[in-house]
Structures are given as C-alpha cells and as structure tokens.
C-alpha cells in the first residue's frame, strides 16, 4: 500500500524487502508493486504514490534523483523490473558478506568482540563525563 508507511506490525511481508531475501523473491515483490490505472511514469507523490515510491527506491539504489530515475520510462513493467534489479544488485554484497561471516563463526565472534571493545571505550568515556557532570564518583 503506497499510501501508508511501512510498519513492523504489517500482516504480510509483500511490501517489505528483507536484507536476505532471495533475488527471485525481491523481483516478485517489485513486479507485484502497486502503481495506478494510468500508464504515465512520472514522479508525483500526491497523484501517483505507487509509481513515486518505485522511483524513490530506484533513485536511492542508483544514486540519482527520482525525477532522473523516471526519465525514459513509458510503462510500469520495465520500471518495476529495473527497480527490482537495482535493489538485488545493492543487496548482493551485503548478502555475500553475511554468508561469508555465517560460514566462519570464529571470524564473526572476533568482529563482534572488536565492536564490543569499541563500544565499551566510547560508553566508558560518556559515562565518565556524566559522572563528572553530576559530581558522582565512579564505581
């Protein structure tokens, strides 16, 4: 539903692309995207929310403006396919890295520890400043 915001409580995942969705699933979701009964492809959020949503996504995935993304399209079908393919391409390196880390649990554990150490360093400095600001002595 292009007129409503995405929600974590949505009853279906049809309007939501998951980071680990199979490329075929991503393409199917975009091919089923709601547009409108017209055929003109233009960026107009008020009059064409479904098409505008597709153009927003295509623009974000291809580093263009929605207006630039709309150029050259005369039908919704190619727009949906190109948008799906752009999202699939954007997700490919993320999915590859995910699978790489899931296949090497030792490296995953090491990276999590590195992240935890960095977070602890930042948090301890913030906590120290907070203690200083309110006059408390550290534990």
């Amino acid at each position: 539903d292009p007129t409503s915001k995405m929600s974590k409580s949505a009853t279906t995942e049809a309007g939501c692309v998951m980071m680990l969705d199979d490329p075929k699933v991503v393409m199917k979701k975009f091919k089923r995207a709601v547009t409108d009964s017209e055929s003109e492809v233009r960026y107009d959020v008020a009059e064409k929310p479904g098409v505008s949503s597709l153009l927003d996504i295509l623009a974000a995935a291809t580093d263009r403006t929605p207006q630039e993304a709309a150029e050259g399209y005369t039908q919704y079908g190619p727009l949906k396919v190109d948008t799906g393919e752009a999202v699939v391409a954007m997700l490919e390196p993320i999915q590859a890295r995910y699978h790489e880390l899931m296949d090497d649990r030792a490296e995953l554990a090491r990276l999590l520890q590195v992240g935890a150490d960095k977070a602890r360093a930042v948090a301890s400095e913030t906590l120290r400043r907070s203690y200083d600001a309110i006059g408390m002595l550290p534990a």
Side-chain angles (χ1 to χ4, degrees):
D1 180 6
T3 61
S4 69
K5 293 188 176 190
M6 292 181 75
S7 171
K8 292 178 186 172
S9 61
T11 57
T12 176
E13 291 183 359
C16 183
V17 175
M18 302 298 188
M19 298 290 283
L20 298 176
D21 275 350
D22 183 88
K24 290 178 184 174
V25 171
V26 174
M27 292 303 297
K28 186 174 183 179
K29 288 178 180 182
F30 278 101
K31 287 178 182 177
R32 290 184 172 180
V34 174
T35 49
D36 57 46
S37 58
E38 296 177 19
S39 60
E40 181 185 10
V41 177
R42 75 183 192 297
Y43 189 74
D44 184 340
V45 177
E47 296 295 319
K48 299 174 88 54
V51 175
S52 296
S53 179
L54 286 170
L55 290 169
D56 280 331
I57 294 166
L58 180 59
T62 58
D63 199 28
R64 297 183 286 172
T65 68
Q67 293 79 7
E68 291 169 339
E71 292 174 8
Y73 289 102
T74 58
Q75 296 178 330
Y76 296 149
L79 171 63
K80 291 178 179 186
V81 169
D82 288 352
T83 304
E85 287 175 350
V87 170
V88 166
M90 190 173 62
L91 290 176
E92 281 176 346
I94 296 167
Q95 291 178 352
R97 182 66 173 145
Y98 169 83
H99 292 298
E100 184 181 312
L101 289 172
M102 294 309 289
D103 290 342
D104 186 352
R105 295 299 178 116
E107 176 64 1
L108 176 60
R110 186 190 72 76
L111 290 173
L112 289 172
Q113 187 60 52
V114 167
D117 292 343
K118 285 181 183 178
R120 191 173 298 104
V122 171
S124 65
E125 178 59 25
T126 302
L127 187 58
R128 185 197 58 75
R129 286 195 322 266
S130 298
Y131 282 155
D132 290 347
I134 60 175
M136 290 183 64
L137 295 174

